[in-house]
Each structure stands twice: as C-alpha cells, then as structure tokens.
Amino acid sequence: MSGPPDVPALGAPPRIAPALLRVALALIVVYGAIGAGLSWWQVVEAERLTNDPGDPLLLAAEREGRRGRIVDARGVVLAESVATGDGSWTRRYPHPEAEPILGYFSPDFGSAGLERSFAAELLGARSLAPGGDLLRKLRSDAYDPQDVQLSLDVRLQRTAVTLLKGKRGAIVAIEPASGRILALASTPTFDPNRIVDPDAGAAYFADLLDRPAEASALLDRATMGRYTPGSVLKVATAVAGLGSGAITPQTVYADQPAEERTGFLVEGFRVRDGHHPQTGRRVLDLAGAIEVSCNIWFARAGLDIGGQRFLAWGQRMGFGEAIPFDVPTAVSTLDGGDGFVDEVELANAAYGQSETFVTPLQMALVASLVAERGTLMRPHVVDELRSSDGRVRTIVPEVWRRVLDAGQAETIALAMQQAVEGRLGRRFAGAAKVPGVPTAGKSGTAELGGDREPHAWFIGFAPVEAPRIAVAVIVENGGAGGASAVPMGGELMATWLELAP
Amino acid sequence: MSGLAGTADRRRPRFRRREALLLGGVSGAVACGWVSLASTVAGGPSLGDPSLLLAFLGLLAAAHVVLSLAGSRSDEVLLPVAGLLMGLSLLMMVRLPQGLVVQDFGPLELGLAPLQLVWIGLSLTAATVVAVVLRSDLWLRSYKYTWAAAGIALLLLVFIFGEETNGARLTLRVGPFAGQPSELLKILLVIFLAGYLADNRALLAARATRLGPLRLPPLPYLLPMLAMWGIALAIVVVQRDLGAALLFYAVFLVLLWVATQRLGDLALGAFLFVVGAVVLYALFPHVRERVEIWLDPFATAQGAGFQVVRGLYALGRGGVLGTGLGAGLPGVDGHPSIPAVHTDFVFDALAEELGLAGALVILALYVILAERGLRIASAARDDFRGLLAAGVTLVVVVQAAIIVAGDARLIPLTGITLPFVSYGGSSLLANGIALGLLLSLGDTRLTAPPPPQAIGRRERWRDAAGAVAGRVERVIS
C-alpha cells in the first residue's frame, strides 16, 4: 500500500479502492449499454425480425404448423391447410386463378406472394390481441393461425385472368376511394396445387424455374414487371404539368398544328405524330392532346416542366421508389433511375418512351389518383386479419399522398372521358366504354424498337363521377393499345359495375 | 469476520446462512425451469428424467457444505450467482440437440447435457478446492514470472500444435483430452499482472514527477505494455482468436489504470489499440470479414453473416418474455439453427427462450459478480490481492460483456465463451478457478500478506528484464 521506504522520491502510490469503484461504475455503464442494445433487438426490432420472411426459424415453425385461410372479399376460400393424415398439414388452393398474388407455401420450395409476406399472421406468430406477443408463452397453443381476408374478388379476378388467357400481360383493378385491390392478374400463371403436390411438385417447380425470364409464370408482372408505358404515361405528365403550373388546361403551343405534320425537332431528334389527318387545322389544348394522344404536345409540356420537376412530381405519384404494398414491388422510373441525360430523353419520357419503365400497379395508381380527384390512397390487398378467438384487425384505408388539387384532377378526368367517348378519342379508346356509364381512360402503344410488336396499354376508371373501379391493363407485344388492352379494360370495368352495383 | 477470534475458533465449521438461502432460491428457480422445460417437451405437466437436475443440485449443495465445513469466511453471494448461471447453462444444454457434442469415456457415451454436467462438477470442484486449500497467496505472488512463463509456453504450444475450431486455432489435444488453453491463460496472465503491477506501482505511478511530458516513459513501464500489446496481436494473427486478444488487452489496460490511476496510460493504451486494430484490419481478411459482418450482416445472410443474422432472429423471436424454455427454435430437427448455439451463441438461445427479461437477469448476474469481486478487491489487505481479485473478476465479466455484445451485434462478433454458461470444459474449469480465487481472496482468514520488501531500483530492473529468462532456465534445468 505504501511505496518502498528507501525510495522516498516516488512517494506513495494512490490507493486502489477508489479506482475500483470507478471500474465498477464503468462496468455498470457497459452492461447498461448492452442491456439497451438487447432491448433494441428484443422490443423495438422484435416484430420486424420475427416476421421477416427470410427468418429460417419462421420457416421451421411453418413446416409443422397449420396456417390460417386466405379468403377473398366475400369469404370464398382461396387457400387453406388440410391435414395429410400423418400429423402434418398441406396447403390447398381451390382458386388457382388468384395467382400469382396469392403465392404458394411449400415446405420443399419455400413460399411466395401473400403466403410469404403474411407468413407470420397466417402462422399466428404475430398476435392480434394487445400484448398477445408478450403473453404467448403463457398459452398452451403458442401459435394461433389467423385468417387473412383480401379485398380481391375472385369473380373479377377470374374475369381478368380469362381476358388475358393465352397472352402475356397483367391487369390491376383498384377501388380508387380506398386503395383496395379488386383484381390483380398476371399471365402466364401457375397452379400452386401442383407445386405443393408431394409427388409431382419437384418436376413441376423445376419446369417453372427453367422457363426463360420473359415467359416466367412465377414472376408477378403486375407488381414486379417493368414495361415501357407509351401514351398511358401522358396522364402522369398531365398531373405533373398541372400540379407544377408548367401547363394549364388552356395551354396551346405556337407551332401547332403545322408542326404535327413535320414533327418537332428536339436536339436533332424528331418527335412525330400521326393524328393530323383527323385533327386537321384544329389547335389542341390539354383535353384535345389527351383525346388524340398528341406526342408533340406532351413532349413540349415535358420540356416546360423540366427534368427536376418532372421527377419530383413523379415521386409524388409513387415513381422512383418501391410502392409500399402487401407484396414486394418493383420500382417504376421516368428516367431509368439515372436522371435525364438530355432534352431528348426528357421530351420522349413525357409521352412514355425513352427510359420510362413502369409497373402495371404504378399505372393503376395513376388512374386511381385521377379518379379520386387528386388523392392517392395506399394500395392494399389485405383487408382484415381474424384470429380464432374472434379478434379482428381491419386494415383501414389511408391516404398515401395528396398529389393534386381536386379541380386540376377534374380537368384530367374529363379529358380522359373525352379520350374514351369523344368524337376523335373513340377511334383510340372507344372500346373501353362501359355501356350506359360515363367512362374515362387512356390507351397506349409502347414502341419497343426493332421489329418487336409494341406493348398494348390501357388505364381508366368508371364511372367518371364517384368512380368505383380504376384499372391498368397491359398486353405484352399486344400491338396497338386500342386492339387488345382497351376492350379488356372496358370489359373488366363493366363486369365490376355489374357485380357490385 | 472478527479479528479478535482465536485461531482455533476460526477453523471451526461455520454455517453460511446467506449462501444457503440464496442457493435455496437458485435451486428453486432451476427446478422450475426444469419442470417448465420438461412440460413443454412432453406437452403436459411432466418432470422428465430429473437425474441431471438432481445431480446438479447435489453438486451445488456439496460445494456449499464443503465451504461451510472448512469454515470459509468468504463472500456468500458468489457461489449462488455462479450456480444460477450454471443452472441456466444446464437447462439450455438439456434442451439443445444432444448430438451437438458426443464424447466417449470407455463404454460410456455422453451427449451434450451430461458432458456439461461433468464440466460443471469439475468447475465447482475447482472453485471449492481453490477456495478451501489456498490459505496463503505467497506462492502466487513470489512466482509471478514463472506463471507468466507458463502462460507464454502454453500460448506457444497452441501456436505450434493447436487445432483449428471454426477457423481459429484454439484447441490443444493431448491424447483423448482436448482443451482451449487461452481460457487457462487468462488466469495465469492476471496472476502475473497483479504481481508485476503491485511490485512496480510506486515506480509506474510516480514517473511523471521525474519526466517531462515529451520524454519517453521509463522502459519498465513501457515494456509490459508493449509485451501485452504484442501478445494480443500475436493471438489475433496466429490464433485468429479476436475475442481472447480483446479480453486480455482490455483487462490489462484496466488493471494498469487501477495500479497507476493515470489517464495517460488509458489514452496510450487506447491509442495502441486503435493502431493495432487499423493495422490488423488492413492486413488480415479474417479481421475485415468480422467488421463487415458487423456493419451489415443481412447483406450476407446466407454466407458470412449467417450466424449473426440467425442470432438476431432468435433475439427477435424471444421478445420481452421469451418463447419459454423448450418452445423456441434454437435447434430444429436435430440441427442447431444458429451455428455454435451451445458455445458462442448460447446467450442468444437463452434470450430467445427467456426473453429480454431473462437476458437482463443474466446480465444482472454478471454485474453482481462484478460488484462482489470488486468489493473483495477493495477490501483486500494489500495491492497484490486487490489487483488479483479485480483482475480475476474482470476476466469473467469483461469476457461476458464481449461475447454478449458480439451476439447482439453491438460490437463485431469475437468467438469466446460466456463464462459459466457456454458449453466447454476449459471454460468452466478456468472460470471455476477464478471463482475459487475470489472466494479465497475474500476469506478473512487468509494469512497476512508479507511486508513490502525494500527492493532497490537496480534490483527491480534486473527483476523485470531478466527474471523471465532466469526462471524458465531454472525450471528447465
């Protein structure tokens, strides 16, 4: 405790007891920090970790457990667990037409779609009761599988799949006022019953995986497919233009209509139009440009909006990020994700060419936000979760973005009605008209270059006032929009208005 | 207890009442855990086969009885705390797939849980024997360089003959016995450090009165620090054992600071740590990989980050109250869902089944260990004992902090064991010895320390520089 007496210069070193007290305090701080870190994982992040579809522990529990049912909006069973007789469960899918959004669950090949993203609920690993996750360990049955009710109506879904039969494409139908997905189809599709079949599943799944990407049946084109939109994007450009103030409903351009014959030269690239035989000497405003789908008008509008503002307004509509949805979604872009390199790219993007790549879901949202007069509801396909003890969690529709002023949206809505019902518009999108119901829409023909057939597009909604359904339809390499996608959109909307009067 | 008590009285058996009460509580808790686990496994109320539980409780009781009979007047909280940690360990080992570790003893083939019970018995025996037999610390303090030499020899043996476990060269095999010497090394190292620092404190602490701020510290001060730094680096490079290196260096630094109480020492030590860490990061891919996993384990969830990600999933599944013993998924179909779930990741498995509540209890147990150990250190009658008690406490609780923080992705993961909980004979034995040393040092009957010797500075120099070689030569000849 004291220094060596014969070296007095050194003096006595300090006592160690006070230092030990500080060491103890430091240890308490360290352990406190560790405790805080554990709390982070076990409280704050616990739910995200537990419900992460990549969690192999969840998969292990899935292998043995019964899963809840997935039912459509009217309670029609889309997926259910049936006992195999040897103590385990297998999945049965009475309505394969609900694929691929429904997904599949197979102990051998994993899971996809809603079966994957709602695994925790279907398995009951996440409780509906308040504090239920805390109390679960006190219960005899640790898991309480929940039923998942969708907003999807299997009758409309069947219509959509039938319309697309034999073609490659996708259809998204959405209720504009709530964001509820009414139908979501993608073809070619697959039969989940064959994937979960213990005998034939391996061969079938291998065959599905073997197909080239463009023919893939496992890919959900509606949420993950990225397509050149062509003229249906003009609706988004109109939203950006009116919203940013770059255009007004009365905007006309000086060189019209002569320029429509010669083309509009942007930095050496000539934007062309083909509607002058019909429009003749007429000068087009916004409604006219949408009705006859004038490329030059929108190219000029795009240049007036400017790249920065176009992207910013695109972002408000959902472009540039994955749309928050119940299954994973691909990112739609106006600029290919790397900015507009020059005026040519911007001008072409404004009417849906160059590097615009969009998902059908994104285009359905554009139609939906015009239908809902500027308000974009968060899209969702799961309406309700129900546990066996009668607890219900309803997913309340919520506003995702307020994109546009209602008056400006009204302008676009009426222009889209003119595109379906107007004297000139009828030639392009008249086939979308729901008999007896005011209908709005916009057709598109996405040029792909080379000698590939263009993609055929349609987006629209009906009725024009208080719309009950908005749709996006794409038929891959379907030729001109008016030929294939437009009548499909019309029939789909008509079917829904009949089903849900 | 009482300094007035006569010698004869001090040798008489003494009932350790508080220890008995606490051990009663611990036994009850472990028994409850056992019933809970057995009932979960059986799907209804069940006791399972309680032989392992009874054997464990018997071992705890035996340790208590021996300490009481020997009349120990030491701390009565340490044994119950270690006992509870061991009990949790046993429950987890019973619950994990038994095939994780299988060892043959002649015709007897033992799985994970029985083996761990053997190691727990070994650990408790070591603790009790050291606590009862070690009546004087003279042989610890007089032969400190021999201890250091033995430690370094052990290290060299591992460097040369060690076998790889999970990419780290840790295991030394002699015939049928395999062990991880770095566990034992930490005890040897602490004994040496306590001796060295206690002898040289005055010199080390007072140097500033003799030196300007810009001049180098005296060599005897610099030498051990550089040596420790070198040893830590060597362990990382040759053994690839980041955990042991971090532990040794951290404990050394804290003890050095306790001895000198100069913040400059901490600063210099931290600086050397940063230099070492940067150099190692730049030169060695296995160090880099650890850091990358730490920064984003999910990026390589199916590859390098697999273990950490699965550990995090386990933490998340545990939530606040846990899944309950036996109801979690640390093992699936006989395969551990987290690699090394019985050793490095045992904490995550416990945190999954016992929840945040249980995890915090485990942390609290180590904090109690720290408090009791440092209390013994402060009450010690001389510096050697104080530093030794503090060092022994630190190797246990700092090691626990390093591995738990690694398991919870708060620092890069370094593979070391969780004291008293992880599976493993070496670990349990070494920590048992540490427990025994603490019990012994806290015993008021320990013989009075020798008077401080008046050693001249020249002799000190010789002592410091030449003693290692001298001792080793003497030992060999």
Side-chain angles (χ1 to χ4, degrees):
Chain A
M1 203 116 9
S2 58
D6 61 341
V7 196
L10 291 178
R15 294 182 61 242
I16 65 168
L20 291 175
L21 182 64
R22 290 202 201 166
V23 171
L25 291 176
L27 281 172
I28 288 174
V29 170
V30 166
Y31 271 85
I34 294 174
L38 283 170
S39 309
W40 170 257
W41 294 118
Q42 299 205 270
V43 180
V44 181
E45 288 285 276
E47 188 172 294
R48 190 185 65 75
L49 285 168
T50 307
N51 301 317
D52 187 329
D55 185 347
L57 304 175
L58 194 64
L59 195 69
E62 282 178 330
R63 218 165 277 154
E64 284 135 42
R66 182 175 72 81
R67 297 163 77 89
R69 299 181 310 165
I70 302 179
V71 300
D72 89 337
R74 295 178 311 133
V76 177
V77 174
L78 304 179
E80 63 186 345
S81 284
V82 289
T84 54
D86 62 356
S88 66
W89 301 83
T90 186
R91 255 343 216 177
R92 200 173 69 87
Y93 301 94
H95 291 280
E97 62 267 31
E99 298 299 346
I101 176 75
L102 188 59
Y104 55 85
F105 166 74
S106 151
D108 299 320
F109 309 117
S111 57
L114 292 168
E115 286 269 46
R116 181 175 175 84
S117 49
F118 281 80
E121 287 80 1
L122 288 166
L123 199 66
R126 178 191 286 182
S127 175
L128 284 182
D133 290 327
L134 297 182
L135 299 173
R136 190 168 60 227
K137 69 180 288 187
L138 304 176
R139 299 164 48 121
S140 53
D141 52 335
Y143 296 110
D144 178 16
Q146 292 158 28
D147 287 349
V148 174
Q149 173 153 16
L150 307 184
S151 57
L152 207 75
D153 189 308
V154 77
R155 298 170 299 176
L156 189 68
Q157 176 78 11
R158 198 178 302 135
T159 307
V161 173
T162 311
L163 287 170
L164 286 171
K165 204 175 182 79
K167 305 180 177 72
R168 293 203 299 259
I171 289 180
V172 179
I174 190 168
E175 190 174 72
S178 61
R180 296 169 72 239
I181 297 290
L182 302 172
L184 195 143
S186 164
T187 54
T189 183
F190 59 88
D191 184 351
N193 294 303
R194 293 182 64 187
I195 293 180
V196 301
D197 186 308
D199 301 319
Y204 182 62
F205 199 68
D207 174 55
L208 287 175
L209 290 178
D210 267 354
R211 299 190 193 175
E214 65 269 18
S216 172
L218 294 171
L219 175 77
D220 184 348
R221 287 146 204 270
T223 54
M224 297 299 287
R226 296 170 77 237
Y227 301 99
T228 303
S231 298
V232 289
L233 195 87
K234 288 170 182 165
V235 177
T237 308
V239 169
L242 287 177
S244 65
I247 59 170
T248 68
Q250 291 78 38
T251 296
V252 291
Y253 291 104
D255 294 334
Q256 290 179 310
E259 195 173 58
E260 281 144 21
R261 299 175 188 280
T262 57
F264 163 39
L265 202 61
V266 190
E267 289 181 9
F269 181 91
R270 198 171 291 276
V271 181
R272 293 180 184 283
D273 260 312
H275 57 74
H276 42 85
Q278 290 83 45
T279 49
R281 303 193 57 80
R282 209 180 116 190
V283 175
L284 300 172
D285 59 3
L286 173 63
I290 287 182
E291 183 182 2
V292 299
S293 201
C294 179
N295 290 343
I296 293 172
W297 195 96
F298 277 98
R300 287 192 171 277
L303 293 175
D304 283 352
I305 295 167
Q308 293 281 340
R309 277 200 296 184
F310 194 32
L311 288 180
W313 277 85
Q315 207 158 27
R316 294 175 76 157
M317 291 179 265
F319 291 88
E321 61 180 324
I323 295 162
F325 189 48
D326 294 333
V327 293
T329 57
V331 178
S332 302
T333 62
L334 296 170
D335 58 348
D338 55 0
F340 296 110
V341 294
D342 54 18
E343 301 264 286
V344 181
E345 187 187 347
L346 174 59
N348 284 319
Y351 62 95
Q353 292 292 148
S354 66
E355 288 190 56
T356 51
F357 294 109
V358 303
T359 61
L361 177 64
Q362 173 66 67
M363 290 321 297
L365 291 185
V366 170
S368 172
L369 85 89
V370 174
E372 196 52 21
R373 300 304 191 261
T375 301
L376 186 50
M377 303 300 290
R378 192 184 66 78
H380 63 277
V381 69
V382 171
D383 258 355
E384 217 167 70
L385 301 165
R386 278 192 298 268
S387 64
S388 60
D389 60 2
R391 284 181 195 281
V392 175
R393 191 175 131 222
T394 306
I395 284 64
V396 182
E398 55 181 357
V399 174
W400 184 34
R401 305 267 168 80
R402 290 192 194 283
V403 181
L404 200 61
D405 181 76
Q408 294 174 327
E410 181 76 22
T411 304
I412 301 174
L414 294 177
M416 287 173 71
Q417 182 181 8
Q418 202 173 318
V420 174
E421 302 181 351
R423 186 179 60 83
L424 295 171
R426 272 207 297 270
R427 297 170 49 87
F428 302 96
K433 168 78 175 165
V434 181
V437 178
T439 310
K442 180 79 197 79
S443 62
T445 306
E447 301 293 343
L448 302 179
D451 50 4
R452 286 181 294 168
E453 277 287 297
H455 292 326
W457 273 96
F458 174 77
I459 64 173
F461 54 90
V464 173
E465 295 304 320
R468 299 215 302 276
I469 181 171
V471 300
V473 181
I474 176 174
V475 180
E476 287 181 27
N477 312 115
S484 51
V486 173
M488 288 184 191
E491 191 168 342
L492 197 76
M493 292 190 287
T495 305
W496 181 245
L497 296 181
E498 246 168 66
L499 286 172
Chain B
M1 297 239 105
S2 159
L4 297 173
T7 317
D9 182 45
R10 289 158 65 96
R11 286 208 181 121
R12 272 177 39 201
R14 180 179 150 274
F15 177 49
R16 292 159 66 83
R17 189 160 163 276
R18 184 194 271 184
E19 188 173 86
L21 284 173
L22 288 174
L23 279 176
V26 165
S27 304
V30 176
C32 278
W34 184 278
V35 172
S36 156
L37 175 57
S39 305
T40 306
V41 172
S46 164
L47 251 183
D49 171 12
S51 51
L52 286 179
L53 171 71
L54 294 177
F56 170 72
L57 296 183
L59 284 170
L60 271 189
H64 167 69
V65 167
V66 170
L67 287 178
S68 291
L69 285 180
S72 167
R73 275 152 175 79
S74 187
D75 190 280
E76 300 188 20
V77 178
L78 284 170
L79 180 65
V81 168
L84 184 48
L85 288 170
M86 290 170 173
L88 289 173
S89 168
L90 184 67
L91 289 174
M92 186 43 72
M93 297 309 149
V94 167
R95 183 253 173 280
L96 287 174
Q98 295 302 298
L100 278 178
V101 183
V102 176
Q103 210 161 330
D104 293 319
F105 291 98
L108 201 60
E109 194 187 76
L110 293 184
L112 185 65
L115 274 173
Q116 180 73 341
L117 186 66
V118 170
W119 306 137
I120 288 175
L122 192 68
S123 180
L124 284 172
T125 307
T128 317
V129 167
V130 172
V132 169
V133 172
L134 194 70
R135 289 292 174 82
S136 157
D137 59 9
L138 199 60
W139 59 290
L140 287 180
R141 68 172 76 208
S142 356
Y143 296 103
K144 56 181 175 291
Y145 292 112
T146 310
W147 294 114
I152 289 172
L154 206 55
L155 199 60
L156 288 177
L157 279 178
V158 182
F159 283 3
I160 300 165
F161 300 110
E163 294 175 10
E164 291 213 352
T165 317
N166 305 327
R169 188 181 284 190
L170 299 174
T171 312
L172 202 58
R173 192 175 291 277
V174 182
F177 298 103
Q180 303 199 339
S182 62
E183 292 285 348
L184 221 52
L185 183 59
K186 70 186 186 190
I187 305 288
L188 296 176
L189 199 77
V190 163
I191 296 173
F192 163 72
L193 282 174
Y196 179 84
L197 292 172
D199 282 355
N200 298 292
R201 269 189 80 204
L203 175 72
L204 296 177
R207 81 197 131 87
T209 58
R210 334 170 105 248
L211 289 173
L214 290 178
R215 272 182 272 173
L216 274 177
L219 202 56
Y221 161 76
L222 207 57
L223 209 57
M225 184 178 258
L226 288 176
M228 272 308 303
W229 188 65
I231 288 175
L233 284 182
I235 291 172
V236 175
V237 173
V238 183
Q239 254 182 291
R240 301 190 161 195
D241 187 353
L242 276 62
L246 185 59
L247 173 68
F248 292 172
Y249 195 69
V251 169
F252 159 72
L253 213 55
V254 175
L255 281 186
L256 179 70
W257 179 76
V258 169
T260 67
Q261 290 175 33
R262 303 194 53 82
L263 278 177
D265 293 357
L266 275 185
L268 181 59
F271 174 73
L272 283 177
F273 174 81
V274 170
V275 169
V278 167
V279 168
L280 291 174
Y281 181 85
L283 289 184
F284 293 95
H286 68 277
V287 178
R288 230 172 5 247
E289 187 180 37
R290 291 298 176 94
V291 175
E292 275 158 16
I293 292 171
W294 173 59
L295 290 176
D296 189 4
F298 291 93
T300 50
Q302 293 305 316
F306 185 72
Q307 193 180 25
V308 171
V309 166
R310 290 217 161 176
L312 292 181
Y313 282 142
L315 290 181
R317 276 181 54 76
V320 174
L321 290 182
T323 58
L325 278 170
L329 290 162
V332 178
D333 306 335
H335 303 291
S337 65
I338 316 172
V341 69
H342 59 307
T343 54
D344 296 354
F345 273 81
V346 69
F347 184 82
D348 282 359
L350 282 167
E352 175 181 354
E353 303 212 326
L354 302 177
L356 178 65
L360 291 182
V361 166
I362 294 174
L363 291 185
L365 290 175
Y366 287 107
V367 173
I368 294 172
L369 266 185
E371 190 265 340
R372 302 314 290 190
L374 293 176
R375 183 179 291 260
I376 288 171
S378 328
R381 287 162 71 183
D382 78 339
D383 289 348
F384 173 72
R385 285 181 190 170
L387 287 168
L388 181 56
V392 165
T393 309
L394 284 171
V395 288
V396 175
V397 299
V398 172
Q399 179 168 346
I402 289 174
I403 185 61
V404 172
D407 285 350
R409 213 197 116 198
L410 305 174
I411 60 171
L413 178 70
T414 57
I416 47 176
T417 57
L418 184 61
F420 299 115
V421 182
S422 285
Y423 172 84
S426 315
S427 168
L428 273 166
L429 178 63
N431 290 307
I433 293 173
L435 178 64
L437 278 173
L438 272 184
L439 286 171
S440 165
L441 291 167
D443 196 329
T444 50
R445 300 170 308 159
L446 201 63
T447 51
Q453 283 161 358
I455 308 172
R457 273 185 46 74
R458 270 188 55 205
E459 281 163 296
R460 264 172 199 287
W461 268 96
R462 192 196 54 77
D463 206 24
V468 174
R471 292 284 176 188
V472 172
E473 273 169 22
R474 229 171 299 163
V475 167
I476 292 170
S477 66

